[in-house]
Amino acid sequence: MQLQPGNRVVVTGASRGIGAAIADAFERRGCTVGRVSRSGDPAGDVADPDSIARAIEGFGQVDVLVANAGIAHYLPFTEMPPELIEQLTRVNWLGTVYTVKAALPGMLERRRGHVVIVSSGAGIRSFPGAAVYGATKAAQRGFGEALRHELKGTGVGLTMVYPGQIRSSLHDHEKERMPDWYKLERGVPPEPLAQAVIEAVEKDKREVFHPASVRLLRIMHGLKPAFADALLRRIMHRSAAP
Ligand SMILES: NC(=O)c1ccc[n+]([C@@H]2O[C@H](COP(=O)([O-])OP(=O)(O)OC[C@H]3O[C@@H](n4cnc5c(N)ncnc54)[C@H](OP(=O)(O)O)[C@@H]3O)[C@@H](O)[C@H]2O)c1
């Protein structure tokens, strides 16, 4: 959809990181942006269906919805307590469907709108230590891929976003114990990704990969997972595919 000044955009998880960069990019285009997060305005917790529904309803008409809020916990699966598994599932996966559920009916009624879902490269090919995180991101992918087809002909578009390693505070709470393959300094700034999201909304692109190495990962993994393993050992660390 062609963005116009005054278009109304909701970005979840926009208090910092990727969500903040996306919200800033829409604001630069003259859009009115609701930055939903637990600490944001409007305040909303995506893991609570009533809370996110209230936040979105309170904002009013939504032309573009960016379901971006998410958390990460990297731990070997055997060390991961069930409560953490449930929390990751509630925020990343259920949070996405609760958010879309709240905003989509209005778009369909008006026959105009666009949904953006921020998944991850880990939703294409997950990593040791990120079995649960990757599963929540793959769930978003399966959901968005099907929903895009369901929306065909309704006037509402959908874009899946697959970021690689982006500089943000996603792993601040676990910096000291990241797996060997994860190098914090490898992260790229979120602003070019935010710009790519704007372009994807305007051109109704199916997918955004950023940086470009994530697209290569998708191709290699699709051809044969062992090709992706070899690529990851080379560009990341052998522990990415032991
Ligand atoms: N950074 C990366 O390398 C990377 C790579 C691939 C995918 N991603 C994905 O990109 C998205 C954004 O991550 P980020 O890197 O920007 O992380 P971040 O800097 O930690 O930001 C996360 C945002 O989500 C919000 N949030 C967390 N839990 C929430 C909840 N229950 N309800 C509402 N908002 C909540 C946070 O705000 P409050 O704490 O105020 O609620 C914050 O605004 C996530 O879905 C993440 O999985 C990130």
Side-chain angles (χ1 to χ4, degrees), residues 8-10 56 59-65 103 106-107 110 112-113:
R8 298 177 61 78
V9 181
V10 164
I56 289 179
F59 180 73
Q61 178 175 320
V62 181
D63 300 307
V64 180
L65 172 72
M107 292 181 182
R110 290 187 298 280
R112 185 170 186 277

Side-chain angles (χ1 to χ4, degrees), residues 175-196:
K175 264 199 288 215
E176 308 311 324
R177 55 171 172 79
M178 292 302 280
D180 285 342
W181 54 263
Y182 195 99
K183 299 272 175 283
L184 282 163
E185 66 278 11
R186 200 188 282 130
V188 299
E191 288 75 18
L193 170 61
Q195 206 40 55

Side-chain angles (χ1 to χ4, degrees), residues 13-19 36-39 44-47 68-71 91 118-120 133 137 163-166 168-170 182:
S15 59
R16 55 180 185 268
I18 294 173
V36 180
S37 72
R38 289 164 306 174
S39 59
D45 182 347
V46 297
N68 160 80
I71 55 170
V91 176
V118 180
S119 171
S120 169
Y133 175 77
K137 294 282 138 183
Q165 212 175 305
I166 310 293
S168 78
S169 49
L170 188 66
Y182 195 99

